[in-house]
Amino acid sequence: MDLRDISEEEFERIEAYLAQTLSNEDLSVFEERLQNEEGFAEKVEDIKTVLSGLEAQALKEQLDYFHDELLTNEEDVIVEPKVKFLNWKRIAVAAALIIAAGSAWFLSGNPNEKLYAKYFSPDPGLPTTMGSNANYEFYEAMVSYKQGDYKVAISKWEKQLMEHPKNDTLNYFIGVAYLADEEAQTAIPFLDTASQNASFPLINDTYYYLGLAYLKTGSLEKSKQNLEKSSIENSKALLSELKN
């Protein structure tokens, strides 16, 4: 599939779908197209792969720029990095090259990265009705987590973990937050600790995310071992793909 043939409008619509910013009406139309139009779901997955690669590269450029600005700022004032936007033609060409090369540009060393991107989404978290809840600090961090402020949530939860190092719920959500924050290797020991309690209500989810974390870091056998312990459907589906 040559993504240079896709229109800018369609690309932006798919990008909006992946970012979960479509209106309810547009989302309904989009999902109907996903179900009924042959090849469209594959196109969406390809663009998801492309955007993941472009995002990683753009982030690296922005961090490099930000670092340079800090070094050259004589007044020691933190300045906002300039975002370098890629124009449509560059995105389309990059997309075609990434797909043609089997995504080797950013998947080198881990051929299962595309599977990880397909199956990973953060745990939705626990309800955060904090008014009458005794553990206010935990649910305050949960609010940050559900807003995508993973580093803030991790910081708050890790302070609580110092007092309760074996708490399965804290270890689980810290692990998932690290995974959502693209720190799979750091996530593993927290998820592993949570998995030690067989009666943990989220044990199947723990094994699933642990399997994903190992997949992300390239430990395929450990990934399979944990996925096999989970009874959730996504775990079974991912395991099936890994065995094919």
Side-chain angles (χ1 to χ4, degrees):
M1 180 184 301
D2 191 341
L3 295 188
R4 284 174 290 189
D5 294 335
I6 188 174
S7 70
E8 181 174 358
E9 180 181 0
E10 184 174 36
F11 187 96
E12 290 176 349
R13 182 59 59 89
I14 294 174
E15 185 179 21
Y17 167 76
L18 294 172
Q20 299 181 345
T21 58
L22 287 176
S23 67
N24 290 336
E25 182 180 353
D26 287 342
L27 179 60
S28 177
V29 172
F30 192 96
E31 290 180 338
E32 183 178 351
R33 188 177 175 191
L34 271 176
Q35 293 178 3
N36 299 322
E37 183 176 324
E38 184 178 356
F40 186 60
E42 180 184 356
K43 183 186 293 185
V44 171
E45 281 301 315
D46 284 342
I47 290 178
K48 182 178 180 179
T49 300
V50 169
L51 291 175
S52 296
L54 293 175
E55 180 182 4
Q57 179 63 17
L59 177 59
K60 180 181 183 303
E61 291 178 2
Q62 290 179 41
L63 289 175
D64 290 344
Y65 183 92
F66 185 62
H67 178 68
D68 292 342
E69 283 292 296
L70 287 177
L71 293 177
T72 57
N73 189 350
E74 296 178 356
E75 297 181 0
D76 197 27
V77 176
I78 296 178
V79 294
E80 184 177 354
K82 297 177 181 178
V83 179
K84 299 179 181 178
F85 293 101
L86 297 174
N87 65 39
W88 162 247
K89 290 188 180 298
R90 286 182 63 193
I91 289 177
V93 172
L97 292 175
I98 290 170
I99 299 301
S103 305
W105 175 47
F106 69 99
L107 305 185
S108 57
N110 186 1
N112 297 301
E113 184 74 25
K114 188 172 181 180
L115 271 180
Y116 174 86
K118 177 180 178 180
Y119 281 93
F120 176 76
S121 61
D123 186 292
L126 301 177
T128 52
T129 52
M130 297 183 291
S132 60
N133 204 296
N135 196 351
Y136 181 88
E137 290 80 7
F138 175 82
Y139 285 97
E140 183 183 35
M142 183 62 70
V143 171
S144 298
Y145 169 83
K146 295 175 81 168
Q147 292 174 341
D149 296 330
Y150 301 119
K151 286 182 171 60
V152 173
I154 289 167
S155 176
K156 292 176 180 177
W157 279 329
E158 286 188 336
K159 288 179 182 178
Q160 298 173 57
L161 193 67
M162 292 176 67
E163 298 180 9
H164 309 282
K166 298 298 182 181
N167 183 280
D168 41 33
T169 303
L170 282 171
N171 276 286
Y172 171 75
F173 279 108
I174 291 172
V176 175
Y178 270 121
L179 202 52
D181 203 37
E182 299 294 327
E183 295 189 51
Q185 192 66 56
T186 307
I188 288 173
F190 294 100
L191 292 168
D192 186 61
T193 298
S195 74
Q196 302 308 307
N197 180 5
S199 61
F200 179 39
L202 297 174
I203 189 64
N204 286 302
D205 300 271
T206 303
Y207 285 133
Y208 176 62
Y209 282 112
L210 196 50
L212 282 170
Y214 278 121
L215 180 66
K216 178 79 169 174
T217 57
S219 300
L220 191 56
E221 288 307 312
K222 288 184 178 180
S223 175
K224 291 178 181 178
Q225 289 170 11
N226 282 281
L227 292 171
E228 285 173 348
K229 296 176 183 178
S230 175
S231 64
I232 66 176
E233 289 304 315
N234 271 357
S235 187
K236 296 176 182 178
L238 174 55
L239 190 60
S240 176
E241 292 203 50
L242 287 173
K243 289 182 176 179
N244 288 339

